[in-house]
Amino acid sequence: MAGSSDPKPYFEPTVPFSEQRSDLRAGIGRRVGDKLESTAGLWRLTTSPERPLQMYVRSNFLTADECAALCALIDAGSYPSPLYEKDKHEDVRTSYSCNLNVHDPLVSAIETRIADLLGIDRSWGEPLQGQRYETGQRFREHADFFYVDQPYWQEYEPHGGQRTWTAMIYLNVPERGGATGFKYHNLAIAPSLGRIVIWNNMALDGSPNPWTLHEGQPVEAGTKYIVTKWYRERPFV
């Protein structure tokens, strides 16, 4: 891919994405994609061949009671959301996060349901993370995959390698704003109670997919709650 329309990732990679192909990650993408394609109640985003993206959405994946309980857990354990070199990029991610306790019965049950939906072993997932966005807060454009030319990669790689799939669930509907925007697909997915959004952070050849660049758009009124589950290419340890 080349030209002025190319994605401009948060970090400009010194190792081209085309040199990061992986048969392992390509196989994960196919298997999960096949599982989701055969699951009733999901709809798939249709993208152009020039900007491929595997993305699926399902409404009412969680009940209102489950969402409310998760919101309470997030409130009880939230802290300012982390970001690599945050001191240099203070306005990139302004939300609050919460690493949810995997031993909590509700959290454990939801982790299992997400893994079963995708057909991925639970051991390959990072802990379920909650996020809270208050009025004016956002997460500017970013990708969920890891940049292998960044210093953090040496620390992250032994713990499961590259991120593959992301599953994000809206836990409430703020008064206004808070959509998740994928500008290269002219798409903004609005919050809806219990809605799950799933996408593959890798291209079909297993390389990081820059067309997954997305943002948590500002909450204009109210508060937004979500949970996010990231999966790796190997068991997360």
Side-chain angles (χ1 to χ4, degrees):
M1 293 176 290
S4 60
S5 64
D6 276 0
K8 300 300 181 184
Y10 177 62
F11 295 111
E12 294 286 354
T14 58
V15 180
F17 295 130
S18 61
E19 296 179 10
Q20 300 180 49
R21 299 183 180 94
S22 165
D23 290 341
L24 172 63
R25 296 194 295 267
I28 294 170
R30 287 192 297 271
R31 289 193 299 274
V32 175
D34 289 346
K35 174 70 164 56
L36 296 174
E37 290 282 354
S38 64
T39 300
L42 287 166
W43 63 265
R44 180 179 180 175
L45 171 71
T46 301
T47 61
S48 68
E50 295 78 19
R51 299 185 178 189
L53 172 63
Q54 288 177 280
M55 175 181 283
Y56 303 82
V57 178
R58 180 175 182 175
S59 298
N60 302 312
F61 181 72
L62 297 182
T63 68
D65 287 345
E66 290 170 332
C67 290
L70 287 172
C71 289
L73 291 175
I74 293 169
D75 283 337
S78 63
Y79 54 86
S81 295
L83 181 73
Y84 178 65
E85 294 189 332
K86 191 170 184 176
D87 56 327
K88 297 181 181 179
H89 312 280
E90 292 184 357
D91 67 338
V92 170
R93 191 181 192 190
T94 56
S95 60
Y96 293 89
S97 295
C98 173
N99 290 320
L100 295 164
N101 183 358
V102 68
H103 301 295
D104 180 282
L106 174 63
V107 173
S108 179
I110 291 172
E111 291 237 22
T112 297
R113 283 163 58 187
I114 298 171
D116 288 348
L117 177 64
L118 275 69
I120 299 180
D121 192 283
R122 271 188 57 171
S123 67
W124 291 39
E126 298 177 32
L128 189 67
Q129 186 180 95
Q131 289 101 33
R132 185 182 72 223
Y133 293 80
E134 299 176 355
T135 300
Q137 293 185 332
R138 66 188 303 170
F139 194 171
R140 293 185 185 274
E141 288 175 349
H142 63 284
D144 287 355
F145 57 75
F146 297 129
Y147 290 82
V148 301
D149 54 359
Q150 294 300 309
Y152 64 67
W153 177 242
Q154 298 304 315
E155 175 186 354
Y156 290 0
E157 197 284 332
H159 300 286
Q162 184 61 275
R163 280 178 173 167
T164 55
W165 289 80
T166 294
M168 181 190 74
I169 307 172
Y170 292 111
L171 303 181
N172 76 320
V173 180
E175 295 175 36
R176 190 167 66 252
T180 303
F182 293 77
K183 74 174 186 181
Y184 293 111
H185 306 280
N186 296 314
L187 177 68
I189 302 176
S192 178
L193 185 70
R195 171 182 285 168
I196 187 169
V197 184
I198 306 162
W199 67 88
N200 186 4
N201 295 293
M202 299 293 106
L204 296 180
D205 63 6
S207 63
N209 185 356
W211 302 114
T212 62
L213 201 70
H214 58 284
E215 67 169 330
Q217 295 177 351
V219 174
E220 299 174 25
T223 303
K224 180 181 81 170
Y225 291 85
I226 63 172
V227 289
T228 306
K229 183 75 178 177
W230 295 286
Y231 290 94
R232 301 290 190 95
E233 62 184 314
R234 305 190 303 272
F236 178 76
V237 295

